[in-house]
Amino acid sequence: MGTAAKRIGQGARRASNQPEKITLVKARGAHVWDDKGNKYIDCTSQAWSNNLGANDPRVIKAAMAQMRQITHIRPNFGSEPYNALCDKLREIAPKDLHQIGFCLHGSLAAEMAIKLAFKNKPGAKKLLVLQDAYHGRSITTMAASWPHPNNPFLPIQPNCFVRVPHPDPYRPRDGMTPDQDSALCLQLIEDTIVKGVDGGVAALMMESIQGNGGHIQFPLTFYKGVRKLCDKHGILMIMDEIQTGFGRMGTMWAADYFGVTPDVLIFGKGIGGGFPLAGILADKALKWFDEGEEAPTFGQFPVSLAAALATIKAIQDDDLCNKAKDHGIYATKRLLDMQKRHRLIGDVRCPGLMVSIELVTDRNKKTPARFESQEVYRRGLNHRVLFGESRYAGLGNLIKVKPCLDISRADLARSLDVLDAVLGEIEGEEK
Ligand SMILES: Cc1ncc(COP(=O)(O)O)c(C=O)c1O
């Protein structure tokens, strides 16, 4: 057995190949620089947040202009950037999602959606979330995400969340096709709604593609089936688009991609062009918050709002949805070709620039190749490419290629060349 292979599964050894933290000092477009002057291609877009390349001059200009004017306005006053951004969001929102709330973090946006669901379903006691979901790290959203090992916050977390199963096309339940798995999960979810909980269900909250949980895209039957179940049982469908919104999937929203409109959509990350902003879009028929129910002091931070407006305009002006789509087609083709040559690549995932590969030591057993994944990340650094990693949901074997949507084709190609080369190196050493 090769050296690397012997290390698999030895959790303690895994830490040994984790590189030191890099100190970043500058970013432009798809590039970042560290404090030693090294320049990297950033395939993480800093937690998949720079859908528009970093420090875009149009965004910086808008933010600077706003800063010179007024930096802080509490939410019970109006503001020009607030009005302009709301108009823009209503223009691009799926269907009737025309009520808008802002805050500064995705976790708080998810909490806002949860609050709105209970506000609209008085008497309901539970909210369904999917196993392997990730909705944030606030007290509430940690409880709505997958079970965290050794979670010290359990005593202070709400217990309204019920985790329900979801299909996983790469690892469907025994002998099933992804669509059969989807149908089974939908039945189990319906059973849970009807007879699995005490008190009614206010909503089902799900990510459009499970990002941190392993880039799991469900079969289309599942999205459509959840929508149907929610309608049938009078519960709200909440879609967390924090990773997928603003062009990442080659469409403005995952809701557009799947043709399924939720009642509440959660956004974050890519909207701010590097400035903190998140929020929700809610169906115009829903009851909105009453005074005092949702008003974070900096929730309508005008600098972020101005930056967000410039960001969305740039995404539209530069046709970044289509760019992401084209890049995604190119990257997927390259990765599928690599899969033929690299036994470590178990699965290739897209769409758009929501790109990743799952590394396995055994394609039949689909054993997560954690050590090798960490090696890809570490060796990528030596070649000055930052790949995205995943450390969650007990897998930790995903390599993510999620740069800004306006990355040049040359930089994307170079990143994939590096991925190809380091996979070859690692596999060569394991022989
Ligand atoms: C799908 C999803 N929801 C919620 C969050 C939490 O967002 P934030 O880290 O801004 O609180 C994240 C962050 O990774 C996310 O990916």
Side-chain angles (χ1 to χ4, degrees), residues 55 64 73 95-96 153 185 196 219 253 315 398:
N55 288 59
M64 295 290 278
I73 305 172
K95 293 210 172 139
D96 287 335
F153 311 115
C185 291
W253 308 103
I315 288 174
L398 219 65

Side-chain angles (χ1 to χ4, degrees), residues 86-106:
C86 285
D87 285 348
K88 178 54 82 180
L89 282 170
R90 286 192 189 103
E91 175 196 313
I92 63 170
K95 293 210 172 139
D96 287 335
L97 303 190
H98 285 177
Q99 301 197 79
I100 302 167
F102 293 114
C103 56
L104 296 187
H105 292 279

